[in-house]
Amino acid sequence: MSEDSMHVPDGCKSPGGSGMLPGAFYAAILRGNEYFCEIDEEYITDRFNLTGLNTEVPYYQYALDLITDVFDLECEEEMREAVEKAARHLYGLVHARYITTTRGLAKMVEKYKSGDFGKCPRVTCGGEHMLPHGMSDAAQVQTVKLYCAKCEDLYSPKSTRHAIIDGAYFGTSFTQILFQVYPNLQPEKSTRRYEPRVFGFKVHAVAALQRWQDERRHELEGRLAEVGIEAPFVDDEGEKADNEGMEEDEEDDDAAVVVAEEEEMVQ
């Protein structure tokens, strides 16, 4: 331990107190933050896993002692709050590293399966479970977001308690590492999307755009098939029947598009 880490901060007395925490740090300090998993004691006590964090966290040694429940200094209220804040920050930074390990991924997978991180608010995703995702690996840059693997988009947490969590506590790589290690959890992409209609007829401009998108998707599926890769798209149940029932409507839409284009050329 360095000379600086042995220095007793102002507002604290030498060892002899009963400790700042009545129980484990994870349960006492991080209660209510369901986004976090509990870090194994063996991991957080291995100094190799904490490399470089001593320059990012104030009162580093006391924060680490607090997390491992060996902090035994009697501190004034203001100083105690400062050390607790540093401990929460340190735990978050270590957490970002831990959840990319085999043990950490396994714990986060269980939370993902149970829906602890919430469900995608996009209607067409059908309540797909989400994962916490950081926009930056640097602390105090951006708060945590939620990633949906089905629509591949990011959302803000609904709860204000979760919305203030630093995104660096999860990092920018965690979600993709998880799906690489557990490819069976990767949801199938859906072709289903909302189609604006007026009295049952598609809005012609949107219909034309969607037909163009479908053509591009079919081209992509063809190129993937040529190299032996199965297309990652799946038709939603009942979509084929709906499409067959709307064939006549689409013919009318095609005529409407042609008329609209001719009117634009005349103007």
Side-chain angles (χ1 to χ4, degrees), residues 50-61:
L50 310 180
T51 301
L53 297 183
N54 61 321
T55 61
E56 299 186 40
V57 180
Y59 308 114
Y60 170 79
Q61 187 58 52

Side-chain angles (χ1 to χ4, degrees), residues 204-255:
H204 68 82
V206 175
L209 174 61
Q210 291 183 350
R211 279 194 295 274
W212 178 85
Q213 291 175 337
D214 288 338
E215 291 174 359
R216 301 290 82 75
R217 179 168 58 84
H218 291 319
E219 291 179 3
L220 175 60
E221 290 175 343
R223 292 199 300 269
L224 292 175
E226 290 177 359
V227 295
I229 300 177
E230 184 178 355
F233 303 102
V234 59
D235 291 331
D236 294 303
E237 295 181 1
E239 185 178 2
K240 182 181 292 184
D242 292 340
N243 290 338
E244 292 177 353
M246 293 187 296
E247 286 182 353
E248 294 182 2
D249 291 346
E250 291 179 352
E251 292 178 358
D252 294 339
D253 295 338
D254 292 336

Side-chain angles (χ1 to χ4, degrees), residues 11-173:
C12 291
K13 296 180 181 180
S14 299
S18 58
M20 293 178 64
L21 286 181
F25 180 84
Y26 174 77
I29 293 297
L30 295 175
R31 61 180 180 274
N33 287 333
E34 297 81 5
Y35 287 8
F36 292 91
C37 70
E38 186 173 0
I39 303 175
D40 293 333
E41 183 179 354
E42 297 79 11
Y43 184 89
I44 205 166
T45 53
D46 187 341
R47 294 306 178 96
F48 177 79
N49 299 324
L50 310 180
T51 301
L53 297 183
N54 61 321
T55 61
E56 299 186 40
V57 180
Y59 308 114
Y60 170 79
Q61 187 58 52
Y62 298 105
L64 181 59
D65 291 344
L66 185 56
I67 293 174
T68 54
D69 206 16
V70 296
F71 189 85
D72 59 357
L73 297 182
E74 292 182 348
C75 293
E76 297 177 356
E77 185 67 23
E78 184 177 351
M79 187 62 201
R80 185 181 69 181
E81 291 178 358
V83 174
E84 286 185 358
K85 181 179 180 181
R88 286 192 292 269
H89 184 48
L90 176 59
Y91 190 95
L93 296 177
V94 178
H95 183 268
R97 300 181 179 187
Y98 177 71
I99 59 176
T100 60
T101 65
T102 302
R103 285 277 298 162
L105 285 170
K107 291 183 179 182
M108 295 297 278
V109 164
E110 291 304 315
K111 297 175 74 67
Y112 170 65
K113 289 181 177 179
S114 61
D116 288 358
F117 310 119
K119 298 179 180 180
C120 182
R122 188 170 182 264
V123 174
T124 52
C125 283
E128 185 69 30
H129 289 178
M130 297 189 290
L131 285 167
H133 178 79
M135 301 291 289
S136 172
D137 290 318
Q140 299 178 351
V141 174
Q142 184 65 272
T143 56
V144 67
K145 305 302 177 186
L146 294 173
Y147 171 75
C148 173
K150 191 165 188 177
C151 63
E152 297 183 329
D153 211 342
L154 295 173
Y155 302 89
S156 297
K158 292 182 179 180
S159 171
T160 55
R161 183 178 70 251
H162 298 146
I164 62 174
I165 298 175
D166 199 320
Y169 297 165
F170 301 91
T172 59
S173 304

